[in-house]
Amino acid sequence: MPHILLFLHITFFITAITISYGPLLLLRLAYRTGEVANIRGLALVHSRLGPVTFVMYMLGGIFGGLTALAFGFDLLAPWLVIAYVAFVIAVLTGVTENRIWPLRLAEAVKRTPDGPLTAEIRDLFMNRRTLSVLAIDIAWVPVMIFDMVIKPFS
């Protein structure tokens, strides 16, 4: 049973990461074309993925907790405490910054005719806050994988 829980933990997180970062990568590539039409469909789809992504991350976290219990891990082991903190920070970022950005982008491309990118759309992709959150958010994935595999301080 512990291995099934571990499988579900990993599967839900891989699904959540794919749903989170796949459309974002495609949006960044579409942005590079400089055309609103290339962004519009992706932005509309990405803006609707928030609730699904949230559920996948929550299920990953729940199955992670169940896995730790099933394997008999010390729930206060340093690597698990790191995982808890990183997970909470990632969830907070997800339900705030990462939820708002796709909604703003979808609204901007809905009201913008086909053609070159407007200043508003360019700013949504390139403002300092967006790029900072993106960098931190992307760094989260290898940090979490490192923590789960290496189990530092344990």
Side-chain angles (χ1 to χ4, degrees), residues 101-113:
W101 187 84
L103 295 172
R104 287 183 179 158
L105 180 62
E107 285 304 313
V109 297
K110 269 194 239 180
R111 65 177 177 266
T112 305

Side-chain angles (χ1 to χ4, degrees), residues 130-142:
T130 297
L131 294 174
S132 297
V133 169
L134 178 63
I136 292 166
D137 202 41
I138 289 173
W140 169 84
V141 175

Side-chain angles (χ1 to χ4, degrees), residues 50-123:
V52 175
T53 305
F54 179 76
V55 168
M56 292 297 112
Y57 277 115
M58 290 299 105
L59 288 171
I62 290 166
F63 281 106
L66 293 173
T67 299
L69 290 170
F71 276 104
F73 291 129
D74 173 6
L75 298 180
L76 294 177
W79 68 277
L80 280 173
V81 173
I82 292 168
Y84 306 148
V85 171
F87 181 74
V88 168
I89 291 169
V91 168
L92 291 175
T93 303
V95 299
T96 57
E97 296 293 329
N98 293 336
R99 182 67 187 127
I100 294 166
W101 187 84
L103 295 172
R104 287 183 179 158
L105 180 62
E107 285 304 313
V109 297
K110 269 194 239 180
R111 65 177 177 266
T112 305
D114 288 353
L117 300 176
T118 62
E120 177 189 19
I121 294 171
R122 281 193 307 276
D123 184 57

